[in-house]
Amino acid sequence: MAHGPAKGISRWLFTTNHKDIGSMYLWFSFAMFFMGGIFALVIRAELFEPGLQIVEPAFFNQMTTLHGLVMVFGAVMPAFVGLANWMLPMMVGAPDMALPRMNNWSFWILPFAFAMMTSTLFMEGGAPNFGWTFYAPLSTTYAPDSVTFFIFAVHIMGASSIMGAINIVATILNMRAPGMTLMKMPLFVWTWLITAYLLIAVMPVLAGVVTMMLMDIHFGTSFFDAAGGGDPVLFQHVFWFFGHPEVYIMILPAFGVVSAIIPTFARKPLFGYSSMVYATASIAFLSFIVWAHHMFTVGMPLFGELVFMYATMLIAVPTGVKVFNWVTTMWRGSMTFETPMLFSIAFVILFTIGGFSGLMLAIAPADFQYHDTYFVVAHFHYVLVPGAIFSITAAVYYWLPKWCGKMYNETLGKVHFWLAFAGLNITFFPMHFSGLAGMPRRIPDYNPLWADWNMISSIGSLLFGAAQVLFLYIVIRTIVSGRKATDGVWDGAEGLEWTVASPAPYHTFTTPPEVK
Amino acid sequence: MDTKDTPSYYVPEQSKLPLFASLGLFLTVFGLGSWINGSGNGSTIFLIGFALLGFVLYRWFAIVIDENIRGMNSIKLKTSYVWGMGWFIFSEVMFFAAFFGALFYVRTFALPWLSEGPTSEILWNGFKGEWPLMETPDMAANGSDAAMSGPGENMSNPGLSHWLGWLPFWNTSILLLSSFTVHFAHTSLKKDDKKWFNIWLGITVALGIIFLVLQAEEYRHAYADLGLTLNSGIYGTTFFLLTGFHGLHVTLGTFMLLVQWLRSVFKGHFNHDDCFGFEASSWYWHFVDVVWLGLFVFVYILG
Amino acid sequence: MLIRSNRSLSLLLACLILAMLPGIGSAGELQLNMTEGVTAVSQEVYKLHMTILWVCVAIGVVVFGAMFYSMFAHRKSRGAKAANFHESLKLEILWTALPLFILVGMAFPATSTLVKIYDTDNADLDILVTGYQWKWKYEYLGKDVSFFSNLSAKSKDQIYDGKAKSEDYLLDVDKVLYIPTGKKVRFLVTAQDVIHSWWVPELAVKRDAIPGFINEAWTRVEEPGLFHGQCAELCGKDHGFMPIMVEALPPEKFEQWLEEQKAEALAVAEAAKQTLSFDELYSQGEAVYNQYCSACHQANGQGIPGNFPAIAGSKVATGELSGHLSVVIKGVSGTSMQSFADQLTPVEAAAVITFQRNAFGNNMGQSVQPIDIVKYQQGQ
Ligand code: HEA
Ligand code: HEA
Ligand code: CUA
Ligand SMILES: [Cu+2]
């Protein structure tokens, strides 16, 4: 049992250790974030001013599609799985993940899946060009040949996610240390448990819908073809039945991260722990019955429109509970503002702004004006970038000292934060305006009416990108030459992960700790 | 043993299996994709990948079984396997849910919409859809030029009096029966009656195979006699995809049970409190059975 | 350290605002907000938008206000000692109930507007709107008038020219959709190939055009005016290049326009009887090709490998004429090669086919006359 890390490359290739696998997930996701970011910069460069300058429309669409897919499936989801791998066993007092070999399998599928997906860029006819939502029949009858590889990439990526989620459920439900009751688990564990259920429930549906596409494209079926009695809108229903829970898959673990960090730096326990748990569960439940808010303009019957509008509006309630609890946690605390806290506070503010625009989108009649404009793009970047990405960044700063035993440079961390904060708002806030002023999304060229906002966005994206390069530098510098971190690291931090040494030993909790 | 050094939970040494399983999976789907797209060596890559994946999985299960026999698996680890299998089956349920959902949507929404108002009048020449869909919208609009022509006949319920000559009825009976036989195998095993365990399990596998043969016959009949194919509009689409994926799952389930039977007969594995491989396979079998009941009701009886 | 970061905060905020100023300063009519529009419905939608916006702003002020106050007052550097409270059922109930209450209040006006949007009955005029890659077809039902509407040549020429763009760049079309004022106009929206979405902000009409299904939408414009819109669903390569123009005309003028359209249709039929010289056909064909075909087959006839076949050396363009006619007139079903029977007049069709058979190195030396097109269509 006392086997330590193996020497050389084989440590990483064949590992069964949750910490190694967690690190690999995180690095992979970082690489994908940069790749998706470069695609985004191509988009922003072309949109810098009206007229076509840099890329052709056909290629622009491939960039949009791959940017969305890579960010969602390659950057955000694996990053959270990486955090789960590192932290869950330590947080519940387990020696490792429940099924360590399967854990490594879940990881290694991903590089292959994304290699296959991005290799489509070099195929004749080009990469998928139908948006990350790949609506039929643009993605079936009218798609380039590479769509077949896209479909199979989604299949195996889904398999990876399902295996990862099952592993997490088994770890949390089965491997808690004695005394670690469900209602004593850190919120990060709770949010991941619920996220894992979302994954197990919806990834197979995604697999189902791409399978239907495959059949329509190659085997003559008519799921999405009215001529045979099918319906293109059926695609959208099945896709969004997956797609909406998917966006909560990208935010629930973020809630968990922030719920760990804010109490630490407010030096005060999380306010309303149990209501946080119930709110998370309610959000997850509601996420299954709101999917058609992405489809308000497809011509659903009035009744359906109303039901989905009401259900969507309801989600604001449990989400609000979370926001209020965070604010109250800070209230009358004794706050300091180290980098993780800065990112977490920015998360609360900017995510809430993104949530507000989400609520506006939920008002169906108004969505007739917002839908498929940059207003939507602004909404989801506000929930995804300062939402998912900031929380991941916060988590890295927060736990990095525990992972590598070394402290990052606080000044650099703060510079990173302010650059990212400014860059992000300059990039995405103007999109609200261009969207309201009528700029459709997914277009490579546009009317001069929106030129100013787009130029500002493009400049902001460079700033934001530069901030991320700095982030990479900070992380590497910390690992290579950071000064030594203490075991407790933070003043107010609580939880099992802070009871072990920094860096955390290769195997932690081979005998379970007692939790009082 | 010194309890202090005994790990509470067995964490395996590093393993080559996951990486090669990933490689196998990748080659399988990459080959399949190239093959479908008509590229020359796609089928070869597919076969290599599939063989690799199969071999790795074989090794993987062999190692897990071996670890169990060597007593490395604590109760806790076994519980993890139970959770793992349980939630895997749940994910499979959701996969089928997508296809049942599609069937439901088409019948309750899409076809009525195609059959009424300007959609029917302007686009589809007054098309009126009924389930099972024998005349597609394409046929209503384009007559004999239609690319999507409906089936000549369908598979739906011929009426109770004809059930004895109706294949799906027999398939249902076979699968239901097999659920009982696999349960009997389980109770025999709980009593450590290995002889009857082997017999009941053997019968179950045989029933699974008979089911598959009958299903193949049904497909042949559909293609050759009824003109019911993947191309015959949404009826054929949902019929083949639902029964097809079910069939694939029966194939997998039968294979799993067969492996357990071989283990029991030739290796003497399993006793009353150590039989997870068998139990997991039998849960899977029950799941496949339940899906069939759904199919029988929604695809055949209400078809 | 903390003080320093405070200073850097204000500095960065200043930079942020500065970065935005030139943008705000330079354009006179910089639009920040949703178009109010010209119909009763669009104005109701605008009001809804403003209400929910202000509700969110108000909640934001309260929540962020409390947070900023706390961040200021309860910081360790000011000697704040942490309290230890961490639960209050009363508060939890309060902040569950209050938002719920606000949302219910919001649901009423939203529902009533939605009901109005869905009331498509009793229309005075029906227009069938069909989305194509990448153009719109308009058909006045029962009036015998229909036409296609493409991005204007003026905009097309500006795309790559690297110069400043005109004010209606990418928003102007070759043929405007006319509707009568004061009448309830119903749009029956559908598509030929992939999903498009017909959107005119000033009418607050956005309806997805789903191939094989017809969606309904309506509008009633009281005053004459010209309104721009765009396709609002990703529909392939030129999704960004399929604008919409709707002009509301007083009913008399509208009727007059309808009559003119009918007269024009007769003229087209008349023109189909003439015989043209090869050179006439070729040069007119080149113009037609650049307007209708080059989006896919490219100006140089090379197509885009894997997406759109080349015309240069194409087996169809250098093979039997009947095959070529079939592809162009009937289209190839299940591909974006649509039927051009209704989009091109017989003269234009004859010209473009002549052009394709003789350009890009396809030296068939053969000309096709309008009458050949008419005959082919009648043979169908
Ligand atoms: C992390 C991802 C994430 C999250 C968390 C959300 C959260 C929400 N989203 Fe968003 N959404 C996306 C990612 C996300 N979304 C993406 C990617 C798309 C586009 C997909 C595509 O087309 O490509 C999208 C699109 C999208 C649409 C479709 C728009 C369109 O295409 O026309 C809608 C419509 O209803 C919507 C609504 C909402 C709502 C109501 C929430 C709510 O959960 C928000 C709730 C939060 C708050 C409201 C703030 C805090 C609450 C309070 C302070 C309490 C008090 C408040 C009030 C009473 C107002 N989203
Ligand atoms: C988590 C998900 C996520 C994240 C993090 C981002 C991050 C970014 N996104 Fe987004 N985006 C989506 C998810 C995401 N996006 C989705 C789902 C869509 C919809 C797709 C669709 O319509 O189908 C979309 C669409 C989308 C559009 C609309 C495209 C269109 O409609 O045509 C735009 C336009 O500006 C955009 C921009 C950006 C930018 C500038 C960033 C930046 O935050 C990225 C910053 C990162 C970097 C820049 C990389 C790091 C730096 C380097 C690589 C070094 C080089 C750079 C410098 C030195 C400056 N994205
Ligand atoms: Cu048509 Cu977008
Ligand atoms: Cu959603």
Side-chain angles (χ1 to χ4, degrees):
Chain A
M1 177 64 198
H3 49 91
K7 291 267 170 328
I9 185 82
S10 91
R11 163 172 178 188
W12 302 104
L13 294 180
F14 307 134
T15 184
T16 50
N17 182 283
H18 72 104
K19 300 187 179 80
D20 286 350
I21 296 172
S23 303
M24 289 198 296
Y25 262 113
L26 287 167
W27 279 114
F28 173 76
S29 116
F30 211 166
M32 288 295 119
F33 176 58
F34 270 46
M35 187 159 91
I38 288 169
F39 295 156
L41 291 178
V42 174
I43 295 173
R44 288 287 9 137
E46 179 56 56
L47 292 177
F48 184 73
E49 57 183 5
L52 288 176
Q53 290 89 17
I54 298 170
V55 295
E56 288 296 314
F59 188 71
F60 182 90
N61 289 345
Q62 298 171 29
M63 286 292 105
T64 300
T65 307
L66 286 181
H67 164 66
L69 289 169
V70 165
M71 284 298 193
V72 168
F73 294 104
V76 175
M77 289 171 69
F80 280 127
V81 180
L83 291 175
N85 258 294
W86 252 103
M87 301 318 297
L88 292 185
M90 288 211 275
M91 285 179 157
V92 301
D96 205 301
M97 294 292 282
L99 304 161
R101 277 179 296 232
M102 193 171 86
N103 200 13
N104 199 27
W105 195 16
S106 305
F107 170 75
W108 275 109
I109 288 176
L110 288 182
F112 288 107
F114 278 89
M116 188 151 95
M117 187 128 97
T118 42
S119 71
T120 57
L121 270 172
F122 307 101
M123 291 178 186
E124 193 182 68
N129 52 11
F130 28 63
W132 86 282
T133 52
F134 50 101
Y135 283 7
L138 186 60
S139 64
T140 55
T141 320
Y142 296 85
D145 285 350
S146 63
V147 64
T148 310
F149 295 100
F150 157 79
I151 288 172
F152 284 121
V154 170
H155 272 128
I156 62 177
M157 221 154 57
S160 152
S161 284
I162 292 170
M163 286 193 285
I166 289 175
N167 216 339
I168 284 166
V169 170
T171 308
I172 297 175
L173 292 183
N174 189 35
M175 303 201 36
R176 276 165 292 131
M180 176 66 78
T181 60
L182 286 178
M183 290 310 270
K184 274 191 192 159
M185 297 192 309
L187 223 76
F188 182 67
V189 182
W190 258 115
T191 52
W192 242 117
L193 178 64
I194 291 167
T195 304
Y197 279 126
L198 289 183
L199 279 167
I200 301 176
V202 301
M203 292 312 282
V205 176
L206 176 65
V209 77
V210 293
T211 307
M212 292 177 200
M213 282 168 62
L214 186 75
M215 298 305 293
D216 268 16
I217 296 170
H218 292 293
F219 301 99
T221 57
S222 42
F223 280 110
F224 310 130
D225 184 354
D231 184 351
V233 175
L234 168 62
F235 172 89
Q236 299 181 23
H237 281 289
V238 188
F239 176 82
W240 286 114
F241 184 84
F242 146 81
H244 185 81
E246 166 69 20
V247 307
Y248 290 102
I249 288 168
M250 293 189 282
I251 206 69
L252 294 184
F255 291 166
V257 167
V258 170
S259 302
I261 294 175
I262 290 182
T264 298
F265 296 96
R267 295 175 178 71
K268 191 164 153 278
L270 182 68
F271 190 82
Y273 173 89
S274 49
S275 72
M276 287 295 231
V277 173
Y278 301 138
T280 313
S282 319
I283 294 173
F285 170 75
L286 287 173
S287 77
F288 286 108
I289 53 169
V290 301
W291 74 86
H293 65 213
H294 296 273
M295 305 162 55
F296 281 142
T297 62
V298 295
M300 267 184 295
L302 178 61
F303 178 74
E305 204 96 341
L306 288 173
V307 169
F308 283 108
M309 172 168 82
Y310 300 149
T312 305
M313 291 165 76
L314 264 189
I315 295 198
V317 175
T319 318
V321 168
K322 307 204 72 118
V323 172
F324 300 136
N325 278 319
W326 289 322
V327 173
T328 316
T329 304
M330 292 187 224
W331 190 261
R332 295 191 47 211
S334 168
M335 268 184 280
T336 52
F337 299 92
E338 286 85 347
T339 310
M341 183 65 162
L342 288 177
F343 275 103
S344 299
I345 289 174
F347 170 94
V348 176
I349 298 171
L350 300 178
F351 167 78
T352 303
I353 292 177
F356 286 155
S357 57
L359 193 71
M360 296 171 74
L361 293 168
I363 309 292
D367 186 64
F368 278 79
Q369 294 285 45
Y370 307 135
H371 177 68
D372 260 315
T373 67
Y374 263 78
F375 191 79
V376 178
V377 179
H379 157 64
F380 66 72
H381 281 95
Y382 262 82
V383 281
L384 283 168
V385 180
I389 299 291
F390 267 24
S391 78
I392 294 162
T393 315
V396 170
Y397 280 113
Y398 187 56
W399 283 310
L400 188 62
K402 181 55 62 188
W403 298 339
C404 67
K406 297 190 187 145
M407 199 64 193
Y408 64 87
N409 180 312
E410 191 63 54
T411 316
L412 283 179
K414 287 207 166 97
V415 172
H416 171 209
F417 169 75
W418 286 111
L419 279 179
F421 182 82
L424 164 140
N425 286 297
I426 298 173
T427 310
F428 298 116
F429 209 80
M431 291 182 184
H432 290 109
F433 302 137
S434 48
L436 288 175
M439 177 166 168
R441 60 192 282 205
R442 295 165 165 173
I443 56 174
D445 192 6
Y446 52 90
N447 180 271
L449 181 61
W450 309 302
D452 295 310
W453 296 132
N454 274 285
M455 198 173 278
I456 297 174
S457 279
S458 295
I459 294 170
S461 68
L462 280 182
L463 187 60
F464 188 80
Q468 304 315 318
V469 179
L470 178 62
F471 184 34
L472 178 65
Y473 168 75
I474 295 173
V475 171
I476 291 175
R477 185 182 137 129
T478 308
I479 295 171
V480 174
S481 64
R483 71 187 154 76
K484 183 136 182 37
T486 58
D487 291 354
V489 186
W490 310 108
D491 236 7
E494 299 206 26
L496 286 177
E497 77 262 35
W498 306 110
T499 63
V500 301
S502 293
Y506 198 60
H507 294 285
T508 34
F509 302 125
T510 41
T511 44
E514 267 312 320
V515 180
K516 289 177 292 303
Chain B
M1 259 199 286
D2 184 0
T3 46
K4 256 212 170 133
D5 289 345
T6 322
S8 59
Y9 195 88
Y10 169 64
V11 177
E13 297 278 349
Q14 60 164 223
S15 160
K16 294 192 173 62
L17 297 168
L19 183 65
F20 283 97
S22 307
L23 181 65
L25 190 60
F26 165 71
L27 292 177
T28 306
V29 291
F30 184 77
L32 199 56
S34 314
W35 191 7
I36 292 178
N37 275 354
S39 133
N41 41 18
S43 55
T44 320
I45 301 176
F46 167 73
L47 286 175
I48 293 173
F50 198 65
L52 178 62
L53 183 63
F55 173 73
V56 173
L57 288 180
Y58 171 78
R59 286 292 306 146
W60 197 320
F61 283 108
I63 289 173
V64 171
I65 291 165
D66 180 57
E67 284 166 356
N68 183 41
I69 290 170
R70 288 196 286 141
M72 288 143 101
N73 294 0
S74 60
I75 294 285
K76 277 234 149 171
L77 184 66
K78 288 184 184 169
T79 317
S80 289
Y81 286 145
V82 171
W83 282 116
M85 190 66 196
W87 292 112
F88 168 63
I89 290 177
F90 175 67
S91 78
E92 292 270 46
V93 170
M94 291 309 292
F95 182 77
F96 276 99
F99 288 89
F100 277 108
L103 176 64
F104 171 80
Y105 177 88
V106 165
R107 291 186 56 177
T108 350
F109 299 113
L111 282 179
W113 290 339
L114 282 166
S115 313
E116 67 191 21
T119 301
S120 165
E121 287 152 25
I122 298 178
L123 297 181
W124 302 113
N125 194 23
F127 167 77
K128 291 273 174 282
E130 261 172 51
W131 196 264
L133 188 70
M134 307 302 280
E135 190 200 33
T136 61
D138 202 6
M139 290 158 81
N142 299 322
S144 55
D145 285 347
M148 289 281 184
S149 36
E153 288 172 61
N154 60 62
M155 285 283 177
S156 61
N157 187 2
L160 208 52
S161 51
H162 298 88
W163 272 28
L164 287 182
W166 189 41
L167 218 148
F169 165 72
W170 289 107
N171 264 344
T172 310
S173 315
I174 290 168
L175 270 196
L176 276 182
L177 187 62
S178 75
S179 246
F180 282 102
T181 54
V182 83
H183 177 72
F184 293 151
H186 194 214
T187 39
S188 307
L189 187 60
K190 284 291 161 203
K191 288 182 278 183
D192 274 329
D193 184 349
K194 285 300 289 285
K195 178 172 159 235
W196 276 101
F197 171 73
N198 290 344
I199 293 174
W200 283 122
L201 187 53
I203 293 176
T204 312
V205 173
L207 287 171
I209 293 171
I210 294 173
F211 173 90
L212 285 171
V213 171
L214 289 182
Q215 193 74 359
E217 160 59 21
E218 187 181 39
Y219 280 11
R220 191 206 56 74
H221 179 57
Y223 263 83
D225 308 333
L226 307 184
L228 174 60
T229 70
L230 279 171
N231 293 287
S232 38
I234 195 66
Y235 179 76
T237 298
T238 50
F239 173 81
F240 281 109
L241 264 283
L242 275 160
T243 56
F245 272 112
H246 177 264
L248 282 182
H249 283 75
V250 175
T251 312
L252 182 61
T254 308
F255 180 73
M256 282 160 65
L257 288 172
L258 177 66
V259 171
Q260 313 311 321
W261 186 77
L262 294 174
R263 283 176 65 190
S264 173
V265 171
F266 294 102
K267 296 264 171 103
H269 291 171
F270 303 133
N271 59 48
H272 72 276
D273 73 355
D274 187 9
C275 54
F276 179 69
F278 164 71
E279 279 180 339
S281 311
S282 79
W283 298 335
Y284 196 77
W285 194 250
H286 288 307
F287 148 73
V288 165
D289 203 24
V290 171
V291 171
W292 177 262
L293 289 183
L295 282 180
F296 189 55
V297 173
F298 291 109
V299 175
Y300 291 104
I301 295 191
L302 302 178
Chain C
M1 171 103 251
L2 282 168
I3 298 167
R4 224 181 45 221
S5 82
N6 257 342
R7 196 172 304 140
S8 60
L9 159 75
S10 28
L11 217 96
L12 271 158
L13 276 179
C15 291
L16 201 154
I17 294 164
L18 275 179
M20 293 198 159
L21 274 182
I24 296 167
S26 69
E29 21 62 89
L30 195 67
Q31 190 182 347
L32 290 176
N33 205 352
M34 184 189 277
T35 310
E36 237 183 295
V38 297
T39 66
V41 165
S42 77
Q43 282 154 8
E44 234 174 79
V45 166
Y46 176 77
K47 273 194 210 115
L48 267 179
H49 159 69
M50 290 315 283
T51 318
I52 186 76
L53 176 64
W54 285 118
V55 167
C56 288
V57 169
I59 297 175
V61 167
V62 174
V63 177
F64 302 148
M67 196 167 145
F68 283 125
Y69 173 76
S70 172
M71 275 160 61
F72 172 74
H74 307 145
R75 58 199 311 158
K76 199 175 171 208
S77 53
R78 297 184 90 236
K81 291 270 172 303
N84 197 32
F85 59 85
H86 57 86
E87 227 164 27
S88 160
L89 190 60
K90 271 196 210 123
L91 272 179
E92 303 288 351
I93 291 174
L94 179 76
W95 62 45
T96 308
L98 215 60
L100 196 63
F101 198 69
I102 297 173
L103 291 174
V104 171
M106 201 54 225
F108 283 100
T111 306
S112 95
T113 307
L114 199 60
V115 169
K116 280 182 206 150
I117 291 177
Y118 266 76
D119 177 20
T120 51
D121 290 344
N122 302 321
D124 303 316
L125 174 67
D126 280 343
I127 300 177
L128 181 65
V129 178
T130 311
Y132 283 71
Q133 278 180 327
W134 294 281
K135 64 199 79 175
W136 296 98
K137 181 185 184 188
Y138 300 113
E139 207 172 332
Y140 293 77
L141 293 182
K143 309 270 185 212
D144 242 3
V145 170
S146 82
F147 59 90
F148 282 80
S149 177
N150 294 272
L151 177 67
S152 77
K154 185 181 92 188
S155 284
K156 230 184 233 176
D157 291 340
Q158 290 182 41
I159 296 176
Y160 292 98
D161 71 0
K163 302 207 189 86
K165 310 297 175 203
S166 57
E167 202 179 323
D168 54 2
Y169 174 59
L170 296 185
L171 294 181
D172 59 338
V173 299
D174 57 356
K175 282 192 190 132
V176 176
L177 172 68
Y178 291 104
I179 57 171
T181 55
K183 295 259 165 72
K184 182 165 184 176
V185 180
R186 183 166 64 157
F187 302 107
L188 302 175
V189 186
T190 185
Q192 178 63 38
D193 32 48
V194 302
I195 301 179
H196 305 260
S197 187
W198 197 78
W199 180 36
V200 181
E202 278 176 295
L203 310 181
V205 171
K206 185 184 281 155
R207 267 285 176 239
D208 289 4
I210 316 275
F213 290 80
I214 289 185
N215 276 327
E216 300 183 16
W218 68 276
T219 194
R220 180 200 297 272
V221 182
E222 299 301 344
E223 297 296 323
L226 179 64
F227 318 111
H228 293 275
Q230 277 172 282
C231 176
E233 181 64 64
L234 179 60
C235 51
K237 187 169 80 59
D238 284 355
H239 159 60
F241 305 92
M242 52 183 294
I244 297 158
M245 270 166 91
V246 180
E247 184 164 357
L249 295 177
E252 324 74 65
K253 276 203 183 162
F254 175 74
E255 291 300 331
Q256 199 186 332
W257 173 80
L258 275 183
E259 290 310 316
E260 282 165 20
Q261 294 311 103
K262 285 179 195 159
E264 240 173 63
L266 283 180
V268 165
E270 204 48 41
K273 295 189 183 132
Q274 61 184 313
T275 311
L276 297 153
S277 74
F278 177 84
D279 290 339
E280 277 172 314
L281 286 166
Y282 188 90
S283 64
Q284 199 182 339
E286 183 162 19
V288 174
Y289 181 86
N290 286 330
Q291 187 181 351
Y292 291 96
C293 322
S294 64
C296 299
H297 298 293
Q298 304 297 303
N300 59 8
Q302 293 302 322
I304 300 180
N307 290 317
F308 308 111
I311 298 301
S314 145
K315 286 220 176 65
V316 175
T318 58
E320 282 288 317
L321 178 62
S322 62
H324 200 162
L325 282 169
S326 159
V327 170
V328 180
I329 305 293
K330 292 197 289 183
V332 184
S333 78
T335 75
S336 45
M337 183 59 206
Q338 54 211 255
S339 157
F340 280 89
D342 299 336
Q343 304 189 44
L344 302 178
T345 64
V347 176
E348 287 169 328
V352 77
I353 293 175
T354 306
F355 174 74
Q356 286 193 335
R357 296 179 84 72
N358 293 287
F360 317 123
N362 298 348
N363 287 319
M364 301 297 288
Q366 175 188 20
S367 60
V368 182
Q369 292 298 333
I371 193 71
D372 298 330
I373 306 289
V374 176
K375 276 196 196 131
Y376 185 81
Q377 272 169 328
Q378 277 161 357
Q380 288 301 299

